[in-house]
């Protein structure tokens, strides 16, 4: 049974979704089918697929590689932080509800040089209507099988070196998995793996880590429905006694540390979850709509691009796609007059080169350490490189 606090976190996300226009939601039940989707949101307290690897290079930073609900929520949260950074940089008198300007006495190589921090008295929580795909939900996958014998593996399709596809070989536990792609394979990691890594890198993306200190940017809890909770799976996937044991107690320069994720439950259910279908015989169909909502943006996405736009239409790029996020980064650079950062992007460069620059050395060290010791077998999903140039 969920606590009142956990139910309140879930309710905040559910009620926000309910308030959105119809275009953000699955179609209403019709005939003999029920369209379902998953929902995730970040709650500050005081979508369902991924892009195949052979299409990543075509994205040009303007299409989301991974639009599972948890990842869309993380991107939307980082977009919110970037917009707040820009507003603080351009309007000195503004008071942000989530970030503040750090004092000079807080800035150091060891504590981080970012100009902003999330307020010290805030906690970040995530609600998700489904268990994260990957290792945290493997017990649920096993329980759902009529025949508990693991499916046989086809090595050329199901396994990338050290990394299994989706739910394949579900008897193998505690490992890094790819998203459960359908027709074509994908190198996008499961939500369990991405959230496990976020326990060390914080919720900040590469973009926001340039401006916001990670110390206060870690999830306090993940709230999921009771029906989606496996204590064994969550402890193994995220806990200090499971696969993250090598990271337990680790701290890195710049405010980074391993912060164990507390997985909690709620009795509240999402009206559009697959468990909400009206009858057992009703056919389930997956909705392809992703809803993006924060105080700065409201968007409905189809397959990672704005609803109603063609696949390669430049106007179809979401506000939370990499290309537009990096455009906002450049705006913050200019507004803050940060010479070290401006020098890096004074000439057109690519996203890959920028991420490999000294600006991200501290964050990259955290990722490398965790992938080498705890999340072994992590294969990078490269290919979507694009030019970042100042206006």
């Amino acid at each position: 049974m969920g606590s009142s606090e956990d139910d309140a976190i879930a309710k905040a996300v559910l009620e926000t979704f309910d308030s959105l226009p119809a275009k953000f939601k699955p179609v209403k039940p019709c005939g003999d089918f029920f369209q379902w989707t998953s929902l995730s949101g970040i709650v500050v307290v005081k979508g369902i697929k991924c892009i195949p690897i052979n299409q990543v290079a075509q994205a040009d930073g303007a299409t989301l590689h991974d639009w599972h609900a948890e990842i869309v929520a993380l991107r939307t949260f980082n977009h919110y932080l970037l917009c707040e950074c820009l507003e603080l940089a351009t309007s000195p008198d503004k008071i942000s509800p989530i970030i503040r300007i750090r004092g000079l006495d807080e800035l150091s190589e060891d504590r981080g040089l970012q100009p902003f921090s999330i307020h010290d008295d805030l906690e970040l929580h995530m609600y998700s209507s489904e268990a994260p795909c990957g290792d945290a939900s493997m017990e649920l996958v096993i329980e759902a099988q009529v025949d508990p014998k693991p499916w046989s593996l086809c090595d050329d399709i199901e396994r990338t070196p050290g990394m299994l596809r989706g739910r394949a070989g579900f008897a193998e536990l505690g490992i890094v998995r790819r998203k459960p792609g359908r027709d074509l394979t994908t190198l996008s990691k499961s939500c369990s793996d991405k959230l496990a890594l976020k326990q060390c890198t914080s919720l900040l993306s590469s973009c926001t880590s340039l401006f916001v200190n990670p110390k206060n940017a870690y999830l306090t809890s993940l709230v999921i429905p009771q029906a989606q909770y496996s204590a064994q799976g969550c402890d193994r996937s995220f806990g200090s006694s499971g696969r993250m044991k090598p990271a337990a107690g680790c701290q890195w320069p710049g405010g980074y540390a391993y912060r164990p994720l507390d997985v909690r439950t709620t009795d509240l259910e999402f009206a559009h979850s697959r468990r909400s279908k009206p009858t057992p015989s009703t056919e389930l169909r997956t909705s392809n709509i992703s809803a993006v909502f924060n105080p700065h943006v409201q968007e409905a996405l189809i397959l990672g691009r704005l609803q109603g736009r063609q696949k390669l239409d430049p106007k179809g790029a979401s506000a939370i796609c990499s290309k537009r996020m990096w455009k906002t980064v450049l705006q913050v650079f200019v507004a803050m007059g940060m010479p070290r950062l401006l020098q890096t992007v004074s000439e057109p460069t690519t996203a890959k080169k920028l991420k490999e620059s000294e600006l991200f050395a501290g964050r990259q060290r955290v990722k490398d350490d965790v992938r080498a010791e705890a999340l072994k077998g992590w294969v990078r999903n490269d290919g979507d490189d694009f030019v970042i140039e100042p206006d």
Side-chain angles (χ1 to χ4, degrees):
M1 179 180 293
S3 70
S4 57
E5 179 184 357
D6 300 331
D7 288 346
I9 291 168
K11 190 175 181 180
V13 179
L14 294 170
E15 290 184 348
T16 298
F17 182 84
D18 288 342
S19 70
L20 296 177
K23 72 174 185 177
F24 291 85
K25 303 171 182 177
V27 298
K28 293 182 178 180
C30 178
D32 57 355
F33 77 89
F34 176 81
Q35 197 173 64
W36 75 279
T37 190
S38 55
L39 174 67
S40 290
I42 304 292
V43 177
V44 181
V45 176
K46 179 172 173 184
I48 207 117
K49 302 180 185 70
C50 49
I51 194 168
I53 185 174
N54 66 348
Q55 296 179 18
V56 169
Q58 303 170 23
D60 193 35
T63 301
L64 306 188
H65 297 177
D66 181 347
W67 49 93
H68 278 219
E70 296 94 329
I71 310 308
V72 171
L74 291 176
R75 280 185 163 273
T76 304
F77 176 69
N78 277 276
H79 175 270
Y80 173 49
L81 290 179
L82 268 185
C83 290
E84 290 295 302
C85 289
L86 183 59
E87 289 197 356
L88 278 181
T90 54
S91 306
D93 295 332
K94 173 184 168 61
I95 298 177
S96 169
I98 190 164
I99 61 172
R100 61 174 178 82
I101 298 175
R102 299 175 75 202
L104 292 177
D105 60 327
E106 298 179 82
L107 306 180
S108 70
E109 290 289 346
D110 188 57
R111 299 172 67 184
L113 297 172
Q114 297 92 340
F116 302 111
S117 172
I118 291 176
H119 289 301
D120 296 336
D121 59 349
L122 297 182
E123 290 184 351
L124 304 178
H125 301 262
M126 173 182 275
Y127 163 79
S128 187
S129 64
E130 303 289 329
C133 66
D135 194 52
S137 57
M138 296 313 296
E139 277 76 9
L140 301 178
V141 173
I142 295 171
E143 290 174 6
Q145 305 308 310
V146 175
D147 179 2
K149 182 180 179 181
W151 308 320
S152 60
L153 300 179
C154 177
D155 288 343
D156 59 334
I157 297 177
E158 303 292 357
R159 187 188 289 276
T160 298
M163 195 166 59
L164 282 173
R165 179 187 183 188
R167 304 179 182 92
F170 51 74
E172 297 189 44
L173 304 175
I175 62 173
V176 173
R177 290 176 173 271
R178 293 178 279 149
K179 282 291 198 309
R182 293 185 175 181
D183 298 328
L184 297 170
T185 188
T186 173
L187 285 180
S188 186
K189 263 57 69 183
S190 74
C191 292
S192 291
D193 299 320
K194 291 184 177 181
L195 289 174
L197 183 60
K198 290 293 183 184
Q199 293 179 118
C200 299
T201 61
S202 82
L203 295 188
L204 303 179
S205 65
S206 297
C207 296
T208 47
S209 69
L210 290 169
F211 307 112
V212 181
N213 187 267
K215 181 181 177 182
N216 296 334
Y218 289 85
L219 272 182
T220 297
S221 74
L222 168 65
V223 178
I224 59 177
Q226 179 65 47
Q228 286 289 287
Y229 177 63
S230 164
Q232 184 177 357
C234 290
D235 289 345
R236 180 184 61 248
S237 186
F238 305 121
S240 58
S241 61
R243 61 178 181 168
M244 297 301 291
K245 185 176 182 179
C250 287
Q251 296 185 25
W252 294 266
Y256 293 102
Y258 168 62
R259 304 278 185 83
L261 179 61
D262 185 13
V263 183
R264 306 173 185 172
T265 63
T266 177
D267 293 325
L268 301 179
E269 279 283 4
F270 180 39
H272 300 280
S273 82
R274 51 188 163 186
R275 294 173 299 284
S276 298
K277 66 177 184 177
T279 67
S281 61
T282 301
E283 177 189 356
L284 286 173
R285 296 182 185 177
T286 306
S287 172
N288 61 359
I289 299 174
S290 298
V292 174
F293 175 85
N294 70 36
H296 294 277
V297 65
Q298 287 190 33
E299 293 179 340
L301 309 182
I302 300 290
L303 304 182
R305 297 181 66 83
L306 291 179
Q307 190 178 52
R309 293 289 181 179
Q310 295 298 314
K311 183 177 181 180
L312 299 179
D313 184 353
K315 294 181 179 179
S318 166
I320 66 172
C321 75
S322 295
K323 202 163 195 175
R324 289 188 61 184
M325 293 273 275
W326 279 107
K327 281 285 188 183
T328 306
V329 166
L330 296 187
Q331 292 176 319
V332 181
F333 280 173
V334 173
M336 298 202 67
M338 303 170 75
R340 180 188 175 203
L341 304 182
L342 283 172
Q343 184 178 1
T344 305
V345 294
S346 58
E347 299 291 336
T349 185
T350 65
K352 183 177 181 180
K353 287 182 179 179
L354 192 55
K355 289 183 178 181
E356 292 174 349
S357 72
E358 187 63 25
L359 294 175
F360 296 99
R363 185 172 186 270
Q364 189 60 49
R365 177 189 166 190
V366 178
K367 295 169 73 172
D368 289 345
D369 286 352
V370 176
R371 290 170 179 172
E373 298 299 329
L375 300 176
K376 296 179 179 180
W378 189 296
V379 180
R380 292 185 61 174
N381 194 15
D382 291 324
D384 183 17
D385 199 15
F386 53 92
V387 175
I388 300 172
E389 50 188 339
D391 293 327

